[in-house]
């Protein structure tokens, strides 16, 4: 019981989070998948890869957060892909997800994201085959996302950044949902990390 009280104590979580060095999360002139309230000062960046098995639980967490606190948080889905193979499955899925989001809206985008991390890749490809292959169209955006990851030494997935700060290590990622309301409240009094923090 005491363990769970500690884990859900926002003061401890916030203290550990603020010890982490923040980085600038904005990538200029780059298309990305942005979910929830795009104007919120509470920003959660999810660095992910469609072929990452460990990312499945994080995307389930994103769905839960949006379902309960969608108006309080801006969630950025950022891809960290190996771009050496232009026809790779990861690149095709990521670029297709981006087109769905940017042309069809958040509702369909969330469904496609859910399926991408729940179903076998072959099933996903068949279900979303009506979306044309956009690898070339979004390649430059995905290159800039990859470059951002490399410049900040983000070499694995998944990674969660809260207003530019890495998720605190003593906590498991699923604990984030317990802190959203308090994080949002704190963010109202913090500078906008997307503009204030320099590379």
């Amino acid at each position: 019981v005491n363990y769970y009280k500690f884990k859900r104590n926002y003061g401890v979580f916030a203290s550990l989070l603020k010890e982490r060095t923040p980085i600038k999360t904005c990538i200029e002139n780059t298309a990305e998948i942005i979910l929830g309230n795009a104007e919120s000062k509470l920003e959660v960046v999810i660095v992910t890869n469609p072929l990452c098995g460990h990312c499945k639980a994080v995307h389930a967490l994103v769905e839960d957060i949006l379902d309960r606190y969608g108006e309080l948080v801006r969630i950025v889905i950022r891809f960290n892909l190996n771009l050496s193979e232009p026809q790779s499955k990861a690149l095709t899925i990521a670029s297709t997800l981006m087109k769905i989001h940017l042309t069809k809206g958040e509702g369909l985008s969330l469904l496609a994201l859910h399926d991408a991390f729940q179903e076998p890749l072959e099933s996903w490809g068949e279900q979303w085959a009506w979306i044309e292959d956009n690898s070339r169209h979004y390649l430059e955006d995905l290159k800039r996302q990859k470059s951002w990851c490399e410049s900040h030494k983000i070499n694995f997935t998944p990674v969660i950044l809260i207003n530019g700060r890495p998720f605190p290590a003593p906590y498991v990622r699923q604990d984030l949902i317990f802190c959203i309301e308090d994080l949002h409240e704190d963010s109202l009094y913090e500078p906008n990390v997307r503009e204030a923090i320099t590379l």
Side-chain angles (χ1 to χ4, degrees), residues 127-184:
Q127 182 175 354
W128 297 95
W130 59 277
I131 300 290
E132 64 182 283
D133 184 355
N134 301 285
S135 299
R136 295 178 183 175
H137 184 75
Y138 291 106
L139 182 58
E140 292 305 313
D141 296 300
L142 292 168
K143 282 182 178 178
R144 285 191 285 271
Q145 293 179 37
K146 176 66 173 179
S147 178
W148 178 90
C149 290
E150 291 176 340
S151 68
H152 295 294
K153 297 181 173 57
I154 297 175
N155 303 314
F156 58 91
T157 54
V159 169
I160 297 177
L161 300 173
I162 303 168
N163 283 352
R165 293 180 169 87
F167 189 86
Y171 289 81
V172 297
R173 299 180 184 105
Q174 281 66 28
D175 292 328
L176 176 59
I177 197 165
F178 302 122
C179 303
I180 293 295
E181 289 179 301
D182 290 313
L183 284 167
H184 174 261

Side-chain angles (χ1 to χ4, degrees), residues 23-42:
I23 59 176
K24 181 179 179 181
T25 59
C26 177
I27 308 176
E28 299 293 339
N29 303 314
T30 300
E32 292 193 278
I33 296 173
I34 299 175
L35 306 167
N37 181 357
E39 303 303 318
S40 176
K41 287 194 172 184
L42 171 57

Side-chain angles (χ1 to χ4, degrees), residues 86-121:
Q87 302 304 320
S88 72
K89 287 184 179 179
L91 177 56
T92 299
I93 292 171
S95 59
T96 302
L97 287 169
M98 288 179 64
K99 177 164 187 182
I100 292 169
H101 182 74
L102 296 168
T103 64
K104 306 296 181 182
E106 182 168 318
L108 201 60
S109 173
L110 279 170
L111 180 59
L113 272 166
H114 173 86
D115 290 348
F117 287 93
Q118 298 292 328
E119 298 182 1
L121 294 180

